[in-house]
Amino acid sequence: MSDPVLAKPPADCCLSGFPHEGMPVGTFISVADVKTYITRPPSSATQNRVILYFPDVWGIDVFLNGQLLCDYFASQGFLVLALDYFRGDPVTLHRKDRQDTTTEPGFDYEAWKAKHQAFAAVAVPKWIDAVKTQFGTPETKYAAVGYCFGAPYVMDALSKTTSTACVGAFGHPAFLNESHFINCARPLFLSCAETDHTFPAPSRHRAEELLTAGKRTFHIQLFSGVEHGFCLRGNMEDAYERFTKEESADGIVRWFKKFM
């Protein structure tokens, strides 16, 4: 049975970005034998709200931007855990930006993606189960957020068959098919860029059609003038890019609080 692609695999557009400034407050632990960034809310009374964070191709272990975003979510009243399914091998070890051909001249981007997808397919469900065992209670509610490479794990967590999370969100997604939207059973927030080669306008419109046809609860947030990666890797010295990055994060927080 055909399952048309809506969000294509990460491409060269995923290899550019700007480093953000700040001092992460989280720490790294091991969960289900996977290195995991954990950052806690100011009050222990809010730790029954847990965010499962699925990184983009830049990873989490050395990616300051991702750690700072997790810290922001935590500051808003969530326990946040982000797994390193790249196992210390983010794409930035091989390509510094989309024009870079010197860091690793023979780098096979397709093989790199396939290797880490294969690991994540096995590791993510085990990791989620371990998070629930180590940090959950019968009252705990879970949200899932993912960027680019991480989007399908959000959709899996919201699917009819698992419903691991009660709410989810993604930004500039990759690796999504129509079935991800057909099977979505929980509220979904889509944070999107006007220019996105992995999730272009026709795909976004089709996703909206599928969610509407299924009578799902969803919200599409769309910013003009930005590209794939704006949620995580925009230029914070540009006032508009900073605004879109912050509005994306704030919108996700409000969405999660509404349904948690």
Side-chain angles (χ1 to χ4, degrees):
M1 182 175 172
S2 177
D3 188 10
V5 172
L6 291 187
K8 293 177 287 187
D12 284 352
C13 60
C14 306
L15 298 173
S16 294
F18 294 83
H20 297 170
E21 296 182 353
M23 183 64 68
V25 298
T27 58
F28 283 96
I29 61 173
S30 179
V31 178
D33 297 320
V34 179
K35 188 176 183 181
T36 299
Y37 185 74
I38 180 171
T39 180
R40 299 180 183 277
S43 170
S44 60
T46 57
Q47 292 204 33
N48 274 336
R49 297 190 302 192
V50 176
I51 292 179
L52 310 171
Y53 180 104
F54 300 100
D56 76 341
V57 295
W58 290 45
I60 193 68
D61 65 327
V62 294
F63 186 36
L64 182 66
N65 298 19
Q67 294 173 25
L68 293 174
L69 183 55
C70 287
D71 290 346
Y72 170 72
F73 290 145
S75 75
Q76 300 303 299
F78 302 91
L79 175 65
V80 184
L81 296 106
L83 80 165
D84 177 26
Y85 35 44
F86 301 117
R87 294 167 291 167
D89 183 39
V91 74
T92 48
L93 289 183
H94 310 279
R95 296 273 296 277
K96 300 305 180 187
D97 56 51
R98 69 181 77 181
Q99 284 81 37
D100 178 22
T101 58
T102 60
T103 300
E104 188 176 323
F107 176 55
D108 187 336
Y109 195 12
E110 298 307 312
W112 179 90
K113 286 181 279 191
K115 176 180 71 173
H116 293 302
Q117 271 193 297
F119 174 78
V122 175
V124 167
K126 295 179 181 178
W127 180 81
I128 292 174
D129 287 344
V131 166
K132 289 188 169 186
T133 298
Q134 291 177 231
F135 300 97
T137 70
E139 292 76 36
T140 301
K141 293 184 177 179
Y142 299 89
V145 63
Y147 299 89
C148 185
F149 189 100
Y153 310 111
V154 171
M155 299 305 286
D156 289 345
L158 302 180
S159 72
K160 299 174 184 176
T161 54
T162 63
S163 291
T164 297
C166 65
V167 62
F170 62 60
H172 41 79
F175 291 129
L176 295 181
N177 294 59
E178 286 197 356
S179 61
H180 284 109
F181 296 94
I182 293 170
N183 293 328
C184 181
R186 295 288 184 264
L188 174 65
F189 186 97
L190 302 80
S191 191
C192 304
E194 176 187 22
T195 303
D196 191 335
H197 298 295
T198 67
F199 195 53
S203 292
R204 188 175 71 246
H205 298 157
R206 180 57 178 158
E208 179 182 356
E209 290 175 357
L210 293 170
L211 291 168
T212 300
K215 301 187 184 301
R216 307 306 182 204
T217 300
F218 69 96
H219 177 68
I220 297 176
Q221 178 191 55
L222 176 65
F223 293 102
S224 64
V226 292
E227 300 182 356
H228 182 97
F230 79 99
C231 298
L232 270 175
R233 296 179 266 108
N235 180 5
M236 295 299 96
E237 294 184 2
D238 181 294
Y240 181 68
E241 289 193 26
R242 174 183 284 274
F243 170 80
T244 61
K245 182 260 185 185
E246 292 177 348
E247 278 295 300
S248 172
D250 288 348
I252 290 170
V253 164
R254 291 194 299 272
W255 188 255
F256 286 177
K257 287 182 176 180
K258 168 65 178 175
F259 295 101
M260 295 176 79

